[in-house]
Amino acid sequence: MQLTTADARRSALHRAERLRRLSDTERDLIRLANEPGFPRWLAQIKATGGCAHPIYLAGHTTLVHAGTGQVLRHYDTDIEPGGRLAIRCRNRRDSRCAPCSRLHSGDTFHLVRSGLLGGKSVPVTVTAHPRLFVTLTAPSFGAVHRATADGERCRPRRDGGTCEHGRPLGCGHVHAADDPAAGQPLCVDCYDYPSHVLWHAHAGELWNRTTRAIRRHLATSAGIPQSKIGDHLRLSFAKVAEYQRRGAVHFHAVIRLDGPDGPTAPPPDWASAELLDAAVRAAVASAEVSMPYLAGLGELVFRWGGQLDVHPIRRGFADDGPVTDQAVAAYVAKYVSKSVGDAGGTDCPVRSPDDIALLSVSAHMRALMGTCWRLGRLPGLEHLRLRAWVHTLGYRGHVLTKSRRYSTTYEKLRTARTAHRAERCGLAADTGPATVTDSSWRYVGSGHTLAEAEIAAGIAENLILLREIRQELAAEHRWPDAA
Ligand SMILES: [Zn+2]
Ligand SMILES: [Zn+2]
Ligand SMILES: [Zn+2]
């Protein structure tokens, strides 16, 4: 490849731009450090864990004695630099805010883990309940190139056949994991884009029907009327959605059997892990959602893909094997920080077909988004809100979903963390007189300037380092608290 004058000019301009930006950051650092409120701002950003996109609020909270009306505590952002207070953005995506994403992954880990090992209001006896780790996939919507770990060829074929569009039906290449070809269709004209996005749009309902079918299968095996199964047991679950390279979600789910009141009581003796395993397999094979006939699409029926993994979850640590409760919790937590952006899509909602055209995504992702946009205006599909969910390729579910009695909630974990911090700072809630809280808050801005972003990133790095040091010390000296 030859370097043209245009390339050289572009590269020089790029370097000049970087130098200019560097000095912008330096100028901003000098400004920031000279602000009288700098130490207080620094303390705020430390409190957010070095959040990359903090939300700024202005307002006040006043705690008043209910009987006497005496003001017990008063906080107003008037005293803060710029009259505002920074709070975490709480974005779960690693690509948006690494510190908040780490916190969210940690919460997910505890949420999933407590449902497996007990803790956070779940009794430890839950470890004796039947528990499965299940991976459900989307069906094929057309052949795609695949990355292989062991140097295996993509889709070898001897006959050299071609599809009706004249493209080869096979591929003799070896694709590494980072090969951009992996996940791309062999023929975009053969690939069933409408079915792909419509499957996503129905995946939530397919899951609901699957859990109902599991309960039905359990009732039938036990000879209990289906309407009475709730008197005997409860099916609890937590599941995460993960985008594969081909842009299709698959689900990793922890499925657990409880007594009728949830994790506090065991399920009946007959409700074994083996029976649950058989019920899951039967339900996944039979569950389907059909979409009424639409011109141009016909009548579509959505089912799970043929690839299904079901493993009993054993007690123990990662070294004991892949499917232990500890390993499963860590595995699930890892996926909540990922999104379609990590699979080559985009994390931002799409507002127009121009947005789709301008995104730096693969032709396959663009075709999926374009299909989502196009189908979004079809009468009869309005309820799927496909245009609002172009960026998730039609999938409307949360990344993590769980049944009500699986374990604790994100909200409870956050409240516990705030209370713990308040206690450490000597600000624990009063248990004495009845109090009334009066507060008013409004959004006043978000994000960092160049220098602020640098400092926040430094704070986040220091916090990681500190945590690692504490963990090492805890491991060496067996200190009780390594959190
Ligand atoms: Zn953040
Ligand atoms: Zn290939
Ligand atoms: Zn074709």
Side-chain angles (χ1 to χ4, degrees):
M1 207 172 74
Q2 230 178 352
L3 191 72
T4 64
T5 319
D7 284 337
R9 186 175 296 135
R10 230 187 335 260
S11 142
L13 281 173
H14 181 67
R15 221 172 298 138
E17 169 67 17
R18 266 177 52 199
L19 279 173
R20 195 183 63 76
R21 286 196 42 176
L22 199 70
S23 66
D24 276 354
T25 310
E26 282 169 347
R27 267 200 297 276
D28 195 27
L29 272 169
I30 294 164
R31 172 199 64 82
L32 188 65
N34 282 314
E35 297 263 349
F38 178 66
R40 181 57 207 151
W41 174 84
L42 202 61
Q44 283 189 16
I45 299 303
K46 273 186 190 155
T48 69
C51 173
H53 295 280
I55 314 285
Y56 283 101
L57 299 177
H60 76 272
T61 294
T62 311
L63 193 71
V64 178
H65 189 291
T68 63
Q70 184 200 352
V71 173
L72 298 171
R73 262 204 306 274
H74 176 71
Y75 169 79
D76 198 308
T77 49
D78 277 355
I79 59 161
E80 301 291 349
R84 55 187 205 162
L85 177 73
I87 59 162
R88 281 180 176 279
C89 74
R90 282 192 186 165
N91 199 300
R92 65 167 180 83
R93 292 176 198 130
D94 189 49
S95 54
R96 288 284 197 88
C97 177
C100 291
S101 160
R102 248 189 318 272
L103 193 73
H104 187 80
S105 289
D107 281 357
T108 306
F109 176 74
H110 288 299
L111 196 150
V112 175
R113 183 184 183 275
S114 57
L116 289 169
L117 288 126
K120 318 270 176 205
S121 82
V122 178
V124 290
T125 46
V126 81
T127 53
H129 296 201
R131 303 167 304 167
L132 299 180
F133 188 52
V134 179
T135 299
L136 295 157
T137 54
S140 169
F141 306 106
V144 296
H145 294 282
R146 57 195 192 104
T148 51
D150 41 13
E152 196 191 332
R153 289 195 292 154
C154 173
R155 290 178 176 276
R157 265 180 87 106
R158 280 175 204 279
D159 61 5
T162 56
C163 71
E164 58 176 299
H165 310 99
R167 298 190 180 102
L169 289 169
C171 169
H173 294 287
V174 177
H175 305 292
D178 59 352
D179 187 336
Q184 302 290 306
L186 270 70
C187 173
V188 288
D189 295 306
C190 283
Y191 197 88
D192 189 353
Y193 285 99
S195 290
H196 184 143
V197 300
L198 289 168
W199 188 88
H200 273 172
H202 290 85
E205 179 55 22
L206 186 59
W207 169 262
N208 292 341
R209 290 192 186 190
T210 307
T211 56
R212 286 203 293 273
I214 296 171
R215 278 189 212 102
R216 259 199 321 274
H217 282 286
L218 290 171
T220 309
S221 331
I224 295 167
Q226 287 172 17
S227 58
K228 295 273 184 263
I229 188 75
D231 298 344
H232 300 265
L233 56 79
R234 180 186 279 269
L235 191 73
S236 292
F237 67 84
K239 78 178 207 305
V240 282
E242 183 208 352
Y243 281 87
Q244 296 172 286
R245 289 293 286 273
R246 62 177 169 138
V249 288
H250 63 190
F251 297 107
H252 304 286
V254 171
I255 302 179
R256 189 185 72 208
L257 285 182
D258 294 336
D261 295 326
T264 46
D269 286 340
W270 55 263
S272 64
E274 292 71 32
L275 192 66
L276 179 61
D277 183 299
V280 166
R281 289 178 194 277
V284 169
S286 67
E288 59 178 47
V289 183
S290 49
M291 204 181 77
Y293 177 87
L294 273 183
L297 292 172
E299 195 190 321
L300 296 175
V301 181
F302 305 104
R303 297 187 185 88
W304 296 110
Q307 244 184 307
L308 167 71
D309 274 320
V310 185
H311 294 283
I313 298 173
R314 295 189 296 109
R315 297 172 67 170
F317 292 89
D319 295 346
D320 300 343
V323 194
T324 62
D325 29 32
Q326 292 278 0
V328 164
Y331 190 71
V332 170
K334 189 182 83 183
Y335 281 117
V336 292
S337 65
K338 302 273 174 250
S339 65
V340 65
D342 296 286
T346 179
D347 288 337
C348 305
V350 167
R351 309 266 173 237
S352 73
D354 289 346
D355 285 356
I356 301 173
L358 289 172
L359 283 169
S360 101
V361 293
S362 70
H364 180 54
M365 282 289 171
R366 206 183 308 284
L368 284 167
M369 291 179 194
T371 306
C372 226
W373 186 268
R374 193 167 52 78
L375 295 177
R377 65 167 168 77
L378 287 192
L381 295 182
E382 297 92 342
H383 63 291
L384 302 176
R385 302 179 52 231
L386 288 166
R387 289 196 167 177
W389 296 96
V390 168
H391 64 299
T392 57
L393 313 177
Y395 177 60
R396 295 191 305 286
H398 288 289
V399 171
L400 180 99
T401 41
K402 59 178 204 65
S403 60
R404 203 163 50 83
R405 298 300 302 274
Y406 174 75
S407 66
T408 183
T409 62
Y410 283 116
E411 199 49 47
K412 281 185 187 154
L413 287 172
R414 282 185 204 127
T415 310
R417 187 161 50 234
T418 310
H420 177 67
R421 205 176 297 138
E423 213 170 279
R424 281 212 322 224
C425 304
L427 290 169
D430 285 306
T431 47
T435 54
V436 180
T437 309
D438 164 52
S439 52
S440 143
W441 292 92
R442 63 180 199 286
Y443 170 86
V444 289
S446 68
H448 287 307
T449 66
L450 292 173
E452 289 169 356
E454 288 280 324
I455 292 174
I459 290 172
E461 267 171 38
N462 280 342
L463 286 174
I464 296 175
L465 198 65
L466 202 65
R467 198 170 305 137
E468 282 172 1
I469 292 170
R470 281 170 65 184
Q471 268 165 3
E472 265 172 42
L473 284 174
E476 267 176 40
H477 303 288
R478 299 188 181 281
W479 284 359
D481 173 26

